[in-house]
């Protein structure tokens, strides 16, 4: 089993980008690439080759589910678990997100000190 | 995490991001209020969607920054917004515009109340322009403190050094050798460590000396302090791999000079590269490749914006695709060179062109290198690094004063004029300050020119550390300095410079056995007081204020507006 090393985070909010980067890099020691849009993530995923993708659901332009479906269509995430990242939602919506093909759903707000270990757990389960 | 120092940094960084977030929350609140008032006059689904989007984002973000109640309140409001929206879609009678609006306003009121609470209030009322500012590492922007270790058991000397050195915004952490080794073992050494070679554990315990010199655990930069400047002591320091040796009594400016030099090399700034390429994938690839090497990259997407982007980003090198649909690389290179300010910026072409003849034709138009695709990473990085380094040292040679490392007379005037223009265009105040060391001739005559040089370079160092990176500092004449402070009123300029004056006055200089201190006088003026004046006229006005300081007994700062 390879180690969790690189995380791609897709979120359009600057503050969330900053705190996620800080949390993953400094607390978790993970290499982190932040993309501000689904489009950017689609462009960069192949080169960055993340082990896991954290994808915000609600974004202007391409939203999370639309980004995921393009990623899947282009065969860019065959071996990469994609985790949705979203504000607390109803159980029904979580089910819907799972049915889009997400490996898991993490709810915001999140604790920056714990995010890396949550991702580690998800990553281990995906292997 | 066992690492206390790192934890502290992390906390500060989180606090900074949080402060930024609070500002945004403040603006989200006004947006919500505006949208709700739009709804009062007309029911519009897209407005309701906008409200939902904002609330949804707050639910997710507020709790992340510790504002759990705000998250919950946003959630409550959002539930009502969603059900109202659904009712509207289904044209159900349950839709109540008033219910929707009251719930959102209740949430806004909750935020308002939250902001009234002490520390949030101060944060959320900062300058509104900060709202637009991107999140940056503030520690680089303002002269925040850098930790430097001092391994010293002589408490008196430790206190004395800490006090002097804190004037330069370095924070000294005094430790004994065993603690230092223990902390370094878990969290690594700071960029600079000073160690007293006289007495202490170092002399008594051989194993500690061995640990200190053991390859992987060695301090990054070590400055040795000792009262014995003999060959043996220096050789001993050399065995510890101390690359600087300062003999006691310690000459503070010399010590600062060493610390500064080491910190500078530890924090050599990132190369700034502008990438111009129309190939989406290659662009993304290059961007990641360069960023992973710590190179700052800006991607140009709209070719017609190149001049604005360059003025703004101030790249140190341009990577230019040779073959783009509308304009060739040569077209763009020639266009860049038409602007005198970009005359010397290195341009490197990227191309699939293997034909040497065509390559040399391209190079004849003032470009510096030609890299063929597929591009090898080592070749690309070394091409960028070496060119930027050369451009930097050339620039330093041309524009920086060799003694102080500050801008020379001509360069400070050029950059000052640019800054002044920008301030007028974007209507913010720019302050101009003239500083002069009091009775400097006497220092030179009494202690000699080399001591005078130490005084001048100490003031330069002090200015560099006390001012922001965006401020311009130049050596205007012999002992005269010109400082340009953007986005600063005359009043705050006077306060800032007054602190420099006090710190400078506290510094002790040494010539043989004599200790002495110096003072400075200054005059400040704000651009808006002389609306149509150019930089030279403003410098003259600052000079008048400086002369008033001189005539009123020196060692003081005068505002030009107090003269009339």
């Amino acid at each position: 089993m390879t180690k969790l090393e690189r995380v791609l985070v897709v979120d359009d909010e600057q503050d969330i980008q900053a705190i996620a980067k800080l949390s993953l890099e400094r607390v978790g020691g993970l290499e982190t690439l932040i993309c501000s849009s689904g489009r950017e993530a689609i462009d960069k995923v192949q080169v960055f080759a993340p082990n896991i993708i954290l994808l915000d659901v609600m974004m202007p332009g391409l939203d999370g589910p639309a980004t995921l479906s393009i990623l899947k269509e282009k065969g860019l995430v065959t071996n990469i678990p994609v985790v949705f990242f979203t504000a607390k939602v109803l159980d029904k919506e979580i089910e819907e997100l799972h049915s889009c093909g997400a490996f898991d759903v993490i709810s915001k707000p999140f604790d920056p000190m714990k995010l890396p270990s949550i991702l580690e757990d998800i990553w281990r389960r995906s292997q | 995490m066992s690492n206390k120092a790192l934890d502290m940094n992390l906390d500060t960084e989180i606090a900074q991001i949080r402060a930024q977030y609070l500002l945004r929350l403040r603006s989200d609140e006004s947006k919500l209020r505006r949208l709700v008032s739009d709804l009062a006059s007309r029911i519009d689904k897209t407005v309701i969607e906008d409200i939902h989007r904002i609330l949804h984002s707050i639910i997710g973000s507020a709790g992340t920054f510790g504002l759990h109640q705000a998250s919950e309140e946003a959630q409550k409001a959002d539930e009502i917004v969603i059900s109202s929206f659904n009712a509207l879609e289904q044209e159900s009678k349950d839709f109540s515009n008033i219910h929707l609006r009251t719930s959102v306003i209740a949430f806004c009121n909750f935020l308002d109340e939250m902001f009234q609470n002490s520390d949030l209030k101060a944060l959320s009322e900062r300058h509104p322009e900060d709202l637009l500012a991107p999140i940056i590492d503030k520690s680089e922007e303002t002269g925040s403190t850098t930790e430097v270790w001092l391994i010293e058991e002589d408490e008196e000397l430790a206190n004395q050094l800490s006090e002097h050195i804190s004037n330069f915004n370095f924070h000294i952490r005094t430790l004994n050798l065993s603690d230092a080794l223990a902390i370094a073992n878990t969290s690594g050494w700071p960029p600079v460590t000073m160690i007293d070679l006289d007495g202490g554990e170092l002399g008594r315990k051989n194993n500690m000396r061995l640990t200190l010199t053991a390859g992987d655990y060695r301090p990054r930069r070590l400055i040795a302090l000792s009262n014995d400047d003999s060959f043996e002591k220096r050789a001993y320091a050399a065995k510890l791999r101390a690359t600087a040796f300062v003999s006691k009594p310690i000459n503070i400016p010399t010590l600062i000079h060493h610390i500064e030099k080491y910190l500078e090399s530890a924090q050599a700034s990132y190369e700034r590269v502008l990438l111009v390429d129309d190939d989406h994938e290659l662009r993304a690839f290059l961007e990641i490749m360069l960023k992973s090497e710590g190179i700052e990259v800006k991607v140009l997407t709209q070719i017609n914006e190149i001049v604005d982007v360059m003025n703004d980003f101030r790249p140190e090198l341009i990577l230019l695709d040779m073959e783009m649909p509308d304009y060739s690389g040569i077209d763009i290179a020639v266009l860049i060179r038409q602007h005198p300010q970009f005359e010397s910026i290195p341009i490197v072409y990227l191309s699939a062109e293997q034909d040497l003849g065509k390559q040399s034709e391209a190079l004849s138009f003032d470009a510096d290198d030609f890299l063929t695709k597929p591009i090898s990473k080592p070749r690309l990085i070394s091409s960028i690094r070496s060119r930027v380094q050369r451009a930097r040292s050339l620039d330093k040679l041309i524009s920086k004063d060799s003694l102080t490392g500050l801008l020379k007379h001509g360069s400070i005037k050029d950059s000052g004029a640019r800054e002044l223009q920008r301030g007028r265009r974007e209507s913010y105040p720019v302050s101009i300050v003239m500083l002069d060391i009091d009775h400097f001739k006497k220092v030179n005559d009494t202690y000699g020119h080399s001591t005078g040089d130490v005084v001048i370079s100490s003031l330069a160092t002090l200015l560099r550390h006390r001012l922001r990176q965006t401020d311009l500092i130049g050596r205007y004449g012999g002992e005269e300095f010109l400082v340009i402070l953007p986005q600063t009123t005359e009043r705050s300029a006077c306060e800032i410079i007054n602190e420099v004056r006090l710190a400078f006055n506290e510094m002790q200089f040494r010539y043989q056995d004599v200790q002495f201190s110096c003072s400075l006088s200054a005059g400040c003026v704000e651009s808006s007081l002389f609306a149509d004046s150019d930089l030279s006229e403003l410098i003259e006005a600052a000079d008048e204020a400086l002369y008033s300081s001189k005539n009123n007994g020196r060692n003081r700062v005068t505002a030009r507006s107090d003269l009339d």
Side-chain angles (χ1 to χ4, degrees):
Chain A
M1 186 171 98
T2 42
K3 233 180 95 210
L4 174 57
E5 284 169 345
R6 286 180 307 282
V7 183
L8 178 71
V9 178
V10 193
D11 199 311
D12 62 309
E13 284 181 56
Q14 272 196 1
D15 316 280
I16 295 289
Q17 290 177 1
I19 198 82
K21 189 172 167 64
L22 196 69
S23 156
L24 295 172
E25 284 183 353
R26 301 281 296 281
V27 181
L30 299 164
E31 195 183 330
T32 309
L33 180 72
I34 305 279
C35 292
S36 303
S37 67
R39 180 56 58 197
E40 193 186 346
I42 293 164
D43 281 346
K44 293 183 183 168
V45 66
Q46 209 162 13
V47 177
F48 183 63
N51 302 117
I52 196 165
I53 298 176
L54 200 52
L55 182 59
D56 185 30
V57 172
M58 196 181 281
M59 293 184 289
L62 278 186
D63 66 3
T67 304
L68 179 57
S69 80
I70 295 177
L71 285 171
K72 282 189 176 287
E73 205 174 289
K74 293 196 163 192
L76 294 171
V77 289
T78 22
N79 295 314
I80 307 173
V82 177
V83 178
F84 276 128
F85 199 33
T86 182
K88 233 181 272 166
V89 283
L90 306 172
D91 289 348
K92 197 182 107 220
E93 291 171 71
I94 294 192
E95 266 169 44
E96 279 173 18
L97 291 175
H98 275 289
S99 69
C100 298
F103 185 79
D104 208 338
V105 179
I106 294 183
S107 69
K108 295 186 207 170
F110 63 93
D111 179 345
M113 292 300 167
K114 293 186 186 140
L115 183 64
S117 63
I118 294 174
L119 277 188
E120 291 269 3
D121 285 345
I122 296 178
W123 158 253
R124 221 169 297 136
R125 273 193 287 118
S126 76
Q127 293 302 293
Chain B
M1 209 185 305
S2 57
N3 180 349
K4 227 184 216 168
L6 190 63
D7 270 350
M8 247 164 57
N9 280 340
L10 198 62
D11 284 349
T12 342
E13 284 174 41
I14 291 179
Q16 277 166 359
I17 301 174
R18 183 168 180 264
Q20 199 82 34
Y21 174 73
L22 288 168
L23 291 166
R24 204 198 70 194
L25 197 54
R26 193 79 178 160
S27 89
D28 278 351
E29 187 205 327
S30 353
K31 272 189 222 151
L32 282 174
R33 286 190 189 273
R34 217 170 34 239
L35 291 169
V36 168
S37 79
D38 287 352
L39 275 187
S41 49
R42 195 169 61 91
I43 296 168
D44 182 341
K45 276 190 207 162
T46 60
V47 173
I48 304 178
E49 276 174 332
D50 286 345
I51 293 177
H52 166 59
R53 206 165 295 132
I54 294 175
L55 287 172
H56 185 86
S57 128
I58 296 175
I59 299 171
S61 50
T64 304
F65 292 97
L67 307 169
H68 295 283
Q69 213 187 333
S71 258
E72 281 162 26
E73 295 295 324
Q75 173 94 37
K76 280 186 213 159
D78 194 39
E79 276 164 20
I80 294 169
V81 172
I82 294 172
S83 64
S84 305
F85 184 83
N86 291 338
L88 187 63
E89 285 256 283
Q90 292 152 13
E91 294 170 12
S92 145
K93 279 189 295 240
D94 292 340
F95 174 75
S96 159
N97 191 1
I98 295 183
H99 188 42
L100 189 161
R101 280 184 290 138
T102 13
S103 67
V104 178
I105 289 174
F107 173 65
C108 291
N109 292 343
F110 164 83
L111 285 183
D112 245 357
E113 233 169 81
M114 187 183 83
F115 281 119
Q116 290 311 315
N117 134 8
S118 58
D119 73 312
L120 296 185
K121 187 167 183 229
L123 282 170
S124 63
E125 283 175 358
R126 277 191 356 202
H127 204 271
E129 270 170 27
D130 288 352
L131 283 172
L132 306 172
I135 294 164
I136 42 166
D137 185 354
K138 295 275 193 221
S139 61
E140 281 180 18
E141 197 61 7
T142 58
S144 86
T145 54
T146 309
E147 193 168 86
V148 172
W149 286 6
L150 171 63
I151 301 177
E152 177 64 79
E153 285 170 43
D154 176 348
E155 225 172 278
E156 203 190 319
L157 181 61
N159 288 339
Q160 215 184 333
L161 286 178
S162 296
E163 201 187 308
H164 283 305
I165 293 178
S166 63
N167 276 333
F168 292 93
N169 276 352
F170 299 126
H171 174 65
I172 296 236
R173 183 171 183 190
T174 307
L175 296 159
N176 63 37
L177 185 56
S178 10
D179 288 348
L181 289 172
I183 298 171
N185 194 27
T186 54
S187 56
W189 292 92
V192 182
T193 305
M194 296 174 280
I195 185 165
D196 192 337
L197 300 185
D198 306 330
E201 288 169 289
L202 193 60
R204 291 194 304 270
K205 299 181 185 160
N206 205 23
N207 60 336
M208 288 202 178
R209 196 163 57 235
L210 288 176
T211 322
L212 195 60
T213 48
D216 291 347
Y217 304 105
R218 207 187 289 150
R220 288 151 72 187
R221 285 292 188 172
L222 196 60
I223 301 175
L225 313 175
S226 176
N227 52 24
D228 173 18
D229 188 0
S230 62
F231 175 80
E232 286 74 21
K233 204 66 170 186
R234 279 190 175 253
Y236 177 73
K239 279 188 194 299
L240 295 178
R241 298 292 176 261
T243 40
F245 187 100
V246 179
S247 55
K248 299 180 194 170
I250 288 162
N251 183 332
I252 300 291
T254 311
L255 185 62
I256 297 293
H257 170 77
H258 287 303
I259 298 178
E260 212 192 14
K261 193 175 67 192
Y262 291 155
L263 285 178
E264 224 170 71
S265 64
Q267 311 167 333
S269 56
Y270 300 145
E271 294 87 355
R272 289 190 308 279
V273 171
L274 182 70
L275 180 57
V276 187
D277 198 319
D278 70 311
D279 179 340
H280 231 59
E281 304 229 318
L282 181 67
R283 210 162 65 191
F285 173 71
L286 288 171
E287 191 181 351
I288 292 170
M289 189 147 100
L290 297 180
K291 280 184 176 163
S292 72
E293 285 290 318
I295 293 172
E296 206 179 314
V297 186
K298 172 111 190 150
V299 177
L300 184 75
T301 42
Q302 296 294 324
I303 191 80
N304 56 351
E305 289 170 2
I306 187 161
V307 175
D308 288 338
V309 170
M310 285 183 64
N311 275 324
D312 202 42
F313 179 62
R314 304 202 151 267
E316 295 176 286
L317 181 138
I318 299 176
L319 276 182
L320 191 54
D321 187 8
M322 268 303 274
E323 300 94 14
M324 288 180 291
D326 298 327
Y327 306 96
S328 75
I330 301 181
D331 297 341
I332 301 300
V334 172
L335 182 147
I336 291 171
R337 296 286 189 232
Q338 287 168 359
H339 296 78
Q341 70 269 40
F342 306 137
E343 227 163 37
S344 57
I345 184 167
I347 296 178
V348 173
Y349 286 124
L350 299 173
S351 171
E353 186 58 71
Q354 301 284 354
D355 182 339
L356 283 177
K358 287 198 178 150
Q359 289 191 11
S360 55
E361 188 213 339
L363 289 177
S364 69
F365 286 99
D366 274 352
D368 298 75
D369 202 358
F370 204 106
L371 299 178
T372 43
K373 300 173 188 174
I375 291 152
S376 100
K377 182 172 171 176
R379 171 98 161 82
L380 174 68
I381 302 294
S382 74
S383 172
I384 292 178
R385 287 248 149 88
S386 66
R387 267 158 237 289
V388 170
Q389 280 320 320
R390 205 172 320 148
R392 277 185 186 176
S393 49
L394 212 62
D395 184 55
K396 208 168 158 190
L397 218 59
I398 295 166
S399 62
K400 299 275 172 73
D401 172 57
S402 60
L403 173 63
T404 59
L406 301 179
L407 293 169
K408 281 184 190 165
H409 186 101
S411 315
I412 177 91
K413 285 187 87 171
D414 288 348
S415 339
R418 259 207 306 277
E419 207 44 69
L420 187 65
Q421 246 175 8
R422 186 188 309 177
R424 294 221 159 112
R425 200 173 56 229
E426 294 172 19
S427 37
Y428 59 73
V430 176
S431 281
I432 286 96
V433 184
M434 289 294 294
L435 281 107
D436 189 84
I437 302 174
D438 297 327
H439 299 300
F440 184 71
K441 195 175 170 309
K442 233 157 83 189
V443 174
N444 266 344
D445 292 348
T446 320
Y447 309 113
H449 285 274
S450 60
T451 309
D453 283 353
V454 171
V455 173
I456 288 182
S457 65
S458 301
L459 178 55
T461 311
L462 190 63
L463 284 167
R464 260 203 304 274
H465 282 273
R466 282 301 174 105
L467 303 180
R468 300 167 301 183
Q469 246 177 26
T470 45
D471 298 330
L472 302 171
I473 316 166
R475 186 169 175 205
Y476 200 66
E479 67 273 20
E480 218 175 10
F481 296 78
L482 172 62
V483 174
I484 315 264
L485 305 160
Q487 290 180 308
T488 310
T489 60
E490 189 188 63
R491 179 174 298 274
S492 18
C494 285
E495 281 167 17
I496 295 164
I497 298 299
N498 199 40
E499 277 182 30
V500 173
R501 178 186 68 82
L502 292 170
F504 182 61
N505 201 217
E506 265 178 35
M507 287 174 67
Q508 294 293 319
F509 298 99
R510 186 181 296 277
Y511 173 73
Q512 291 168 359
D513 289 335
V514 190
Q515 257 200 17
F516 66 96
S517 60
C518 292
S519 65
L520 65 84
S521 299
C524 310
V525 66
E526 182 183 319
S527 54
S528 59
L529 296 175
F530 298 86
D532 297 319
S533 313
D534 61 15
L535 185 67
S536 308
E537 290 164 311
L538 286 167
I539 291 175
E540 236 167 79
D543 236 359
E544 289 165 17
L546 168 63
Y547 276 92
S548 156
S549 291
K550 293 272 183 197
N551 291 333
N552 286 304
R554 296 184 167 84
N555 195 13
R556 68 189 62 232
V557 180
T558 306
R560 176 63 178 76
S561 60
D562 288 343
L563 294 187
D564 302 318

